[in-house]
């Protein structure tokens, strides 16, 4: 008797419906969300106790309660808790993004009113309260020069300080440096402005100005450097500590000196994080108003020399226009704020692309 060569595979027995996990349909969560918002709107507007913000907040609470109840009835308590916590995490993300979207939308919608050639090519010199023209060219020049000088001062100093702390620093001296850097991180911006005012403007600048104290954009850059330095040091220090030790050990095993290992291995590996920390410091410095007001004085005319006379900045320009009584001042303030955000965004993207290009080139 011959037998067939094909093997006979038995199928597993089908599970009864009672053993299958019951799940909510895909439309359940959106339906519960719509119902929660509708019920919240009825409660809030019916009682006259609030507006759209309260409707969204109360709707989110009702949605979590309804989702937990529906999932608990269909899927069980364990799955209900999982769904509820997942919805809570997503809701927290949405609540975190909403203010950012609101700020961006407000800047774009209100700042677009004065996005014209006149705004970027003129200053506020000889502009009266009834003049609709006038721009922020002088403020843009001041911001670029002040932040640029502060960056040239603090980036090399901050990176070298972080290298010393991570690679060479041992004992009490390194601990003291790290402690004072942490203390400087929390210094208010106006304190740095007062420090530069008392030291540079009142003591040093008279040596170069026939005995008279003088405001200048360079003084503002010094004040911004005080604010930028701790951010750069701390972020660079953390990035250098994240570089794997085997990379250093492999270079040492090949006979590479320590300074060259830091220059060729450690710094290139930590470069993306260092660039991020530098851009955070630049963004903070570009938005400071008090130090510029104290040591640069501000001004309505264009001044391209950062070492002489008063100089303005975009943040100071926003402050001055927002507090001006002219009917045309608020539009200038919103456009200057939009310009400042766009400028920082462009610099950040350019720095990221440059760091990525250098990394790919290696």
């Amino acid at each position: 008797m011959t037998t067939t060569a094909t093997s006979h595979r038995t199928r597993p027995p089908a599970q009864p419906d009672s053993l299958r996990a019951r799940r909510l349909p895909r439309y359940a969560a959106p339906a519960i969300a719509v119902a929660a918002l509708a019920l919240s709107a009825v409660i809030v507007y019916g009682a006259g106790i609030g507006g759209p913000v309260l409707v969204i907040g109360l709707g989110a609470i009702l949605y979590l309660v309804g989702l937990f109840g529906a999932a608990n009835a269909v899927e069980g308590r364990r799955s209900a808790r999982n769904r509820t916590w997942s919805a809570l995490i997503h809701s927290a993300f949405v609540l975190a993004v909403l203010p950012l979207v609101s700020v961006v939308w407000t800047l774009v919608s209100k700042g677009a009113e004065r996005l014209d050639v006149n705004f970027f090519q003129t200053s506020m010199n000889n502009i009266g309260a009834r003049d609709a023209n006038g721009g922020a060219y002088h403020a843009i020049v001041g911001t670029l020069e002040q932040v640029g000088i502060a960056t040239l001062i603090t980036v090399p100093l901050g990176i070298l300080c972080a290298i010393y702390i991570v690679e060479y620093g041992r004992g009490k001296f390194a601990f003291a440096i790290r402690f004072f850097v942490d203390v400087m991180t929390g210094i208010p911006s106006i304190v740095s402005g007062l420090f530069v005012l008392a030291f540079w403007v009142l003591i040093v600048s008279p040596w170069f100005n026939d005995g008279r104290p003088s405001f200048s954009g360079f003084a503002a850059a010094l004040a911004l450097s005080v604010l930028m330095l701790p951010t750069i040091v701390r972020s660079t220090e953390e990035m250098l500590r994240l570089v794997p030790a085997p990379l250093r050990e492999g270079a040492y095993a090949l006979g590479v000196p320590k300074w060259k290992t830091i220059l060729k291995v450690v710094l290139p590996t930590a470069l993306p994080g260092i660039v991020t920390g530098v851009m955070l410091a630049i963004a903070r410095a570009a938005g400071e108003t008090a130090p510029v007001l104290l040591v640069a004085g501000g001004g309505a005319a264009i001044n391209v020399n950062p070492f002489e006379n008063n100089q303005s900045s975009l943040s100071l320009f926003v402050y001055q226009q927002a507090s001006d009584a002219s009917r045309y001042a608020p539009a200038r303030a919103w456009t200057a704020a939009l310009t400042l955000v766009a400028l920082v965004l462009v610099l950040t993207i350019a720095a990221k692309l440059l760091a990525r290009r250098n990394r790919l080139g290696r």
Side-chain angles (χ1 to χ4, degrees), residues 20-32:
R20 295 178 181 175
R22 301 173 60 190
R23 299 186 62 84
L24 287 174
R26 292 180 179 272
Y27 60 83
I32 294 174

Side-chain angles (χ1 to χ4, degrees), residues 29-53:
I32 294 174
V34 172
L37 286 176
L39 180 60
S40 175
V42 171
I43 294 174
V44 171
Y45 290 119
I49 57 176
V53 176

Side-chain angles (χ1 to χ4, degrees), residues 89-256:
I89 292 172
H90 287 89
S91 301
F93 170 76
V94 172
L95 290 178
V97 171
L98 279 179
L100 177 61
V101 175
S102 175
V103 169
V104 173
W105 172 254
T106 304
L107 282 176
V108 173
S109 60
K110 294 188 176 182
E113 182 177 348
R114 281 300 314 274
L115 277 178
D116 49 39
V117 177
N118 179 267
F119 184 82
F120 294 101
Q121 291 185 347
T122 60
S123 67
M124 291 298 296
N125 199 24
N126 298 324
I127 298 296
R130 297 184 179 182
D131 294 329
N133 293 325
Y137 178 74
H138 63 299
I140 296 174
V141 171
T143 297
L144 292 176
E145 291 184 349
Q146 294 163 19
V147 176
I149 294 174
T151 302
L152 292 177
I153 295 173
T154 54
V155 169
L157 185 61
I159 293 177
L160 290 175
C161 182
I163 290 175
Y164 173 79
I165 293 174
V166 176
E167 302 292 341
Y168 297 97
R170 299 292 185 273
K172 296 182 179 180
F173 185 65
F175 175 79
I177 294 177
R178 191 179 296 108
F179 173 77
F180 283 111
V181 168
D182 292 337
V183 172
M184 288 177 61
T185 305
I187 290 180
S189 60
I190 195 170
V191 175
S192 67
L194 288 172
F195 168 73
V196 175
L197 176 67
F199 172 70
W200 181 267
V201 175
L202 298 180
I203 297 178
V204 179
S205 66
W207 297 352
F208 308 98
N209 195 37
D210 298 329
R212 298 191 304 268
S214 174
F215 290 154
S216 64
F218 182 74
L222 292 179
L224 297 180
S225 300
V226 176
L227 300 175
M228 293 174 61
L229 185 60
T231 303
I232 295 176
V233 173
R234 291 297 295 166
S235 60
T236 305
E237 179 187 353
E238 295 301 324
M239 291 302 104
L240 294 179
R241 292 188 185 279
L242 291 177
V243 176
L247 293 179
R248 296 182 176 90
E249 296 170 356
Y252 297 152
L254 295 174
V256 180

